[in-house]
Amino acid sequence: MPFGIITATELKAKLDAGAKLRLIDVREPMEYNLARIEGAELRPLGQIQQWATQLPDKNEEIVVYCHHGMRSARACEYLSSQGFTSLRNLTGGIDAWSRQVDPSVPLY
């Protein structure tokens, strides 16, 4: 696998520790408006060919998430194929984040 995984609790610990990382949400705007992780950038999977070229640093640590982890895995695969080197897929997506870290984030 050309990218790693991270659990919701591992991501929370990194964020709490002030880790410098880019958090990308690859869901659709309607989903993002319903439930999101604070600080995440909305970059829908369907537009990845456009926005991937706008990311300035291919060595930057990037965590990608979606609803359950499937779309974000596809995004990680694509970004890896474009030369990005420090990618993590949030296992379980926003659903896991809501269940394991922040119950104030709505489930859907």
Side-chain angles (χ1 to χ4, degrees), residues 21-40:
L21 58 86
R22 183 179 295 260
L23 187 57
I24 296 178
D25 182 334
V26 296
R27 297 173 302 148
E28 294 301 312
M30 182 187 74
E31 294 173 286
Y32 178 82
N33 291 333
L34 180 65
R36 68 179 162 270
I37 300 172
E38 189 68 35

Side-chain angles (χ1 to χ4, degrees), residues 1-6 22 24 48 51 55 57-64 72-90:
M1 186 181 320
F3 58 90
I5 58 169
I6 189 169
R22 183 179 295 260
I24 296 178
I48 195 168
W51 61 256
L55 299 176
D57 181 1
K58 290 190 175 190
N59 298 312
E60 175 181 31
E61 183 173 3
I62 299 174
V63 175
V64 184
S72 52
R74 288 200 302 274
C76 285
E77 288 171 4
Y78 178 80
L79 293 171
S80 178
S81 78
Q82 299 303 301
F84 289 86
T85 61
S86 187
L87 300 164
R88 300 275 177 275
N89 183 25
L90 177 60

